Amino acid sequence: APASAAAGPARARERARAALAGARGIPVDVRRLADHLGFPVHERPLPPGERGTIGRDGGRIVITVSSRGGYTDAEQRWIIAEELGHAALGHRALVASSAPGAAPAIPEPLRREEEREARAFAAELLMPEGKVRGRFAALAPRIEQAGGMRRRETESDEVVRLLARMFGVTPTAMRRRLEELSLVR
């Protein structure tokens, strides 16, 4: 990937680390952190297909998540973290997940880049690299000692589930993070 393509996610991870400077422990209290950073979280009904957005409320930027339900706590934490990424990175106010076929609010290449940055921010915020590597190292010996390939996959799936619970994210998000960090295949 060209240097410019990597710059956005790297900048996003750096901003997430800065945002975490005062935070303690895992899972990260993403609502409290958002509020502390000056981006309060509100819940209200959003149009079908929209999970969250950032926008203005008077003179400040707020994060709005859909109150329509159907999301697990882990999914809602991700939505908030991703929207916080948009706000903290100064992205244009946009809907993170718009309905299929809806016209994008900003040009597609910029929207894709902003989404990639927001996802990188959310991943680092909810699953900080150092803490993920540390917790994984504590659990990984189980994988290395496993006998056959099927056993190793079963152990790997269990480690992913345990880490997902620890960090308050979905197993899918944790698996992606572990793959991104080259800890699992």
Side-chain angles (χ1 to χ4, degrees):
S4 61
R11 175 179 81 106
R13 286 188 291 274
E14 187 178 303
R15 288 274 175 89
R17 286 183 200 114
L20 285 169
R24 294 202 178 127
I26 54 168
V28 171
D29 186 340
V30 70
R31 281 180 184 266
R32 180 179 293 170
L33 186 60
D35 194 52
H36 175 75
L37 295 173
F39 305 110
V41 178
H42 300 282
E43 289 187 41
R44 69 176 174 84
L46 293 175
E50 289 183 17
R51 303 178 319 157
T53 188
I54 58 172
R56 293 211 169 269
D57 182 10
R60 66 183 183 173
I61 295 175
V62 298
I63 296 168
T64 303
V65 294
S66 180
S67 62
R68 291 188 185 272
Y71 302 113
T72 66
D73 182 56
E75 290 167 331
Q76 191 170 67
R77 287 170 40 76
W78 179 269
I79 294 165
I80 293 167
E82 194 172 317
E83 296 306 325
L84 179 57
H86 286 299
L89 293 164
H91 291 168
R92 297 181 186 192
L94 60 103
V95 174
S97 298
S98 55
I106 61 174
E108 189 59 23
L110 178 58
R111 186 194 71 77
R112 276 195 312 268
E113 180 59 27
E114 287 186 350
E115 287 299 320
R116 188 165 64 242
E117 282 186 336
R119 285 190 300 272
F121 180 96
E124 184 64 31
L125 192 79
L126 296 176
M127 300 169 280
E129 180 177 353
K131 290 185 180 185
V132 169
R133 286 186 184 282
R135 297 285 162 63
F136 181 82
L139 298 171
R142 296 174 55 191
I143 295 174
E144 297 305 318
Q145 295 168 2
M149 182 58 105
R150 180 175 298 277
R151 175 96 173 132
R152 207 171 7 254
E153 287 173 14
T154 302
E155 292 290 333
S156 176
D157 289 345
E158 182 60 22
V159 168
V160 168
R161 281 192 296 278
L162 287 169
L163 289 170
R165 261 194 311 274
M166 281 181 203
F167 285 84
V169 298
T170 65
T172 300
M174 181 54 71
R175 179 164 297 283
R176 280 192 196 125
R177 184 65 168 152
L178 294 172
E179 289 170 357
E180 176 185 293
L181 298 174
S182 300
L183 295 172
V184 298
R185 285 185 253 171

